[in-house]
Amino acid sequence: MILFLASRPVVRRPADGGRPRGLRLVAGGRAPGGQVAGGRAAGARTTDSRVADGAEAGRPVAGGAGDPGPAGAEEGTAGPRRRGPRSVFGPYRRIFAAPGTLAFTVAGFAARLPGSMLGVSMVLMIALSRGSYALAGAVSATGVAATAIASPLLGRLVDRYGQARVSVPAVGVFATGVTAMLLCVHYGAPSWTLFCCTIGSSAVPSMGSMTRARWTVIYQDDEAARHTAGSFEQVVDEVCFMLGPALAMVLCTTLFPEAGLLVGVILMVTGVLAFTAQRATEPRPHRTEPHQAPARPPLRIPELRTVLVTFLATGAVFGSMEVATVATVESYGAGSASSVVLAVQASGSCLAGLVFGALPARG
């Protein structure tokens, strides 16, 4: 009631009962001479409750006292405040405002790029040195199967003991297996040794999962930022799938057959060491306390089984696409074009990821 009475215009009438001399300016009322406070023209209406609420909250209200109006507008004119067009890269700039995000992203990219190089490099190395795509595909498939078994175990160890304590020894085992394979191929060891080496090189740290875990911890209370960060991670994956096979193809065909795998293991070791050195953004380990009930095994969770089946099919598509593309293009006598075909396949997903991350998250 007090706000309502205070918002009504107070009129002074002359003693002779004639017309009022003017209007005294009050909250949401009229200024002397019939002009409304806030720059509105005479006769314009002002929502009293909105002005009162804004005055009570201590903020300027559009059309009320304290509202400067549009920038550069002349006094006495009114109009909506115009905003510039929204930048597509604005959400991405915002997520990198947090300290340490750029550092672990760059280091993680160096460690993730070999993930898309290893399959192509191994296939080309064995096919060029042994002359058999069948053997190359079998060795590559064995390595993928071993990695699929080792990755969940490594992920559980990372959750329990931390990223640095697990990833550094794991990448050491990986480098040992890859080095043994390079030596076996170079010196013509029996074919069965290649299968043993590829199993030994299956301890590949899941750099994408560890990078996403850091984004989740940093923006655990910001759903929009997590949406943008997740889309950015998809873009990074697609960039790796565009650059990795092309780089492996160039190295294996222009230098020597082992060059792609050699560069891949160097990038992996360097990237993992640089990534794990970023301790400020590393998530804390999740250890089960003695009084806590043990967590259910992952395969007993129905939702996780659905996700597992879905991505098993997705992984089969990606895994077979690289080998099939290289072999098919080679059959037409244009093996050097395989890198271009693989890059074009990944460019569509890369563009879609950028657009999706810039859109607001709904649903």
Side-chain angles (χ1 to χ4, degrees):
M1 178 64 72
I2 295 175
L3 294 176
F4 175 76
L5 293 176
S7 63
R8 301 192 62 183
V10 179
V11 182
R12 290 182 178 179
R13 296 184 179 274
D16 56 0
R19 299 183 62 183
R21 300 176 182 177
L23 298 177
R24 183 164 58 91
L25 177 63
V26 295
R30 297 179 180 271
Q35 186 171 348
V36 180
R40 291 182 181 269
R45 299 179 59 188
T46 303
T47 305
D48 296 333
S49 60
R50 181 166 59 86
V51 176
D53 292 342
E56 184 180 7
R59 63 180 184 272
V61 181
D67 181 22
E74 298 180 359
E75 184 178 0
T77 61
R81 189 184 301 274
R82 295 184 180 181
R83 297 180 179 179
R86 181 183 177 185
S87 174
V88 176
F89 299 101
Y92 296 100
R93 288 195 297 266
R94 189 170 76 90
I95 63 174
F96 281 104
T101 53
L102 182 60
F104 77 72
T105 299
V106 174
F109 177 78
R112 292 163 72 172
L113 183 61
S116 60
M117 295 176 58
L118 297 177
V120 177
S121 298
M122 191 176 299
V123 169
L124 289 174
M125 179 183 66
I126 298 175
L128 294 175
S129 60
R130 301 294 176 95
S132 173
Y133 273 102
L135 176 62
V139 173
S140 178
T142 303
V144 172
T147 303
I149 297 173
S151 292
L153 301 178
L154 288 175
R156 174 169 289 190
L157 292 175
V158 167
D159 289 339
R160 186 172 300 176
Y161 299 105
Q163 295 181 353
R165 293 184 62 184
V166 176
S167 299
V168 174
V171 78
V173 175
F174 163 79
T176 302
V178 172
T179 303
M181 175 172 288
L182 291 172
L183 294 175
C184 290
V185 171
H186 184 74
Y187 291 103
S191 298
W192 61 267
T193 60
L194 303 182
F195 291 92
C196 297
C197 293
T198 191
I199 294 175
S201 63
S202 61
V204 182
S206 182
M207 298 307 302
S209 300
M210 291 191 293
T211 305
R212 292 179 178 92
R214 298 198 179 202
W215 286 116
T216 302
V217 172
I218 293 173
Y219 293 111
Q220 56 184 345
D221 298 326
D222 192 338
E223 182 180 357
R226 292 198 310 271
H227 164 76
T228 304
S231 300
F232 175 77
E233 286 296 306
Q234 177 65 25
V235 172
V236 174
D237 284 339
E238 295 302 335
V239 170
C240 290
F241 276 104
M242 285 193 295
L243 297 180
L247 179 60
M249 179 70 65
V250 171
L251 293 173
C252 293
T253 56
T254 59
L255 297 180
F256 48 91
E258 299 89 353
L261 201 58
L262 179 61
V263 172
V265 68
I266 294 174
L267 285 175
M268 176 71 76
V269 173
T270 305
V272 169
L273 294 179
F275 181 84
T276 54
Q278 311 296 323
R279 304 301 294 271
T281 54
E282 179 179 352
R284 294 181 179 180
H286 300 280
R287 298 182 182 179
T288 304
E289 301 296 335
H291 62 276
Q292 293 179 345
R296 287 189 299 170
L299 294 181
R300 292 186 180 181
I301 303 176
E303 294 83 0
L304 187 57
R305 290 200 297 266
T306 303
V307 174
L308 178 63
V309 173
T310 302
F311 282 96
L312 181 64
T314 306
V317 172
F318 282 109
S320 61
M321 184 179 297
E322 292 183 357
V323 178
T325 300
V326 173
T328 302
V329 177
E330 181 70 24
S331 67
Y332 287 101
S336 59
S338 299
S339 59
V340 179
V341 176
L342 293 173
V344 172
Q345 290 174 347
S347 61
S349 296
C350 179
L351 179 61
L354 280 174
V355 175
F356 185 75
L359 297 176
R362 293 189 178 93

